[in-house]
Amino acid sequence: MRYADGPAARCEIRIAAAAPRIWELVSDIGLPARLSPELQRVEWLDGATAPAVGARFAGHNRHPKIGEWRTVSQIVTADAGHEFGWAVLDTAGRFGAPVTDPAHALATWRFTLDSAPEGVRLRHSVRIGPGASGLSAVIARMPDREEQLIEARLAELRTGMTATLEGIKALAEA
């Protein structure tokens, strides 16, 4: 697996709740910060106050090996009751030229809701790249370990995605 291939991870869970309730939770940009081990807090940018395609928000992250950093994300999908997605951008140019186009994101995240027996199947996914990121910077220093580094990062992301999904399930079913 290579960074240039757009490595991805996906987790899913079945939730015994109505799609509108789950949509309310997944489209709340602040919720993952309450559930994820890495994302610490978020705030709307540019006057945005609600999820809509094109709206941007800042995320503040912490990782024991990487430290703390800020990201800017732009909502790329907001199909109520079906799909919510955002692209993480390198607007500050930490890994090269500043990136404001979601087509060149550091990563793209999505929640997808599908009808399932007795509720909803909720999927949480991430695709890394194609834009440069902290991971691509580490790979550049250790190219012989690219696959290992990608697998380790995807495993970390799956852990956070699973925690987020389980938290959403608990809130939706309460």
Side-chain angles (χ1 to χ4, degrees):
M1 177 180 327
R2 305 199 54 84
Y3 191 91
D5 297 331
R10 183 176 84 175
C11 299
E12 65 179 63
I13 198 166
R14 291 191 189 273
I15 302 175
R21 172 63 179 143
I22 298 167
W23 173 256
E24 176 186 334
L25 294 167
V26 301
S27 64
D28 173 0
I29 63 160
L31 183 64
R34 292 176 24 210
L35 306 172
S36 167
E38 193 167 295
L39 181 63
Q40 302 298 301
R41 66 184 171 88
V42 298
E43 71 230 7
W44 288 110
L45 298 173
D46 310 322
T49 58
V53 172
R56 295 178 352 137
F57 59 93
H60 300 270
N61 302 279
R62 183 179 314 136
H63 186 281
K65 294 179 183 172
I66 302 168
E68 296 184 8
W69 70 97
R70 178 183 182 266
T71 61
V72 172
S73 294
Q74 181 174 323
I75 297 173
V76 294
T77 306
D79 183 5
H82 300 287
E83 185 174 21
F84 183 67
W86 62 97
V88 183
L89 307 172
D90 184 14
T91 59
R94 289 176 45 211
F95 306 108
V99 174
T100 57
D101 180 352
H104 302 287
L106 303 157
T108 303
W109 293 84
R110 294 194 189 288
F111 284 108
T112 307
L113 294 76
D114 291 310
S115 295
E118 301 178 24
V120 171
R121 181 179 62 205
L122 178 62
R123 282 187 231 121
H124 194 12
S125 62
V126 62
R127 182 181 65 103
I128 298 172
S133 69
L135 178 58
S136 61
V138 172
I139 291 168
R141 290 192 309 266
M142 298 182 272
D144 56 316
R145 295 189 54 212
E146 181 172 12
E147 288 190 34
Q148 257 183 304
L149 294 165
I150 291 169
E151 278 302 326
R153 184 61 177 144
L154 290 176
E156 289 177 334
L157 295 175
R158 281 187 204 96
T159 297
M161 291 165 36
T162 298
T164 299
L165 289 172
E166 290 171 352
I168 291 169
K169 177 180 177 74
L171 290 167
E173 292 179 350

